Amino acid sequence: VLLLPLSGPHAELGNQLMMAAHLAVQDLAPDNFVVAPFDTAQGAAAALQKALAQPTDVIIGPLFSADVAATKGIAADAN
């Protein structure tokens, strides 16, 4: 799971980071990873809850400290 701002004022940065993640996975282990991006622009906590509704092994993000604070408890509860 990749939590990034994919819309809104930071969409360009978020989309560039998403593309970088896709390229890294493609180069290193394309058969072992699936990058599932979720947009944090409308709320990082909501994005994380949507992400956790599917099988999730690794959470990367969110990008901004306020979003980290908003998702910290949810991620901890999900183990």
Side-chain angles (χ1 to χ4, degrees):
V1 167
L2 189 58
L3 299 173
L4 292 170
L6 302 174
S7 62
H10 303 289
E12 184 176 349
L13 175 60
N15 282 289
Q16 289 174 352
L17 290 169
M18 181 181 63
M19 294 289 285
H22 280 292
L23 287 172
V25 167
Q26 182 180 349
D27 285 348
L28 298 175
D31 297 329
N32 297 330
F33 294 96
V34 173
V35 177
F38 288 84
D39 189 4
T40 60
Q42 302 302 316
L48 179 56
Q49 288 173 333
K50 287 179 190 174
L52 292 174
Q54 62 184 8
T56 302
D57 292 322
V58 176
I59 300 168
I60 300 172
L63 185 59
F64 299 113
S65 60
D67 291 338
V68 171
T71 58
K72 183 179 175 182
I74 298 167
D77 290 344
N79 210 13

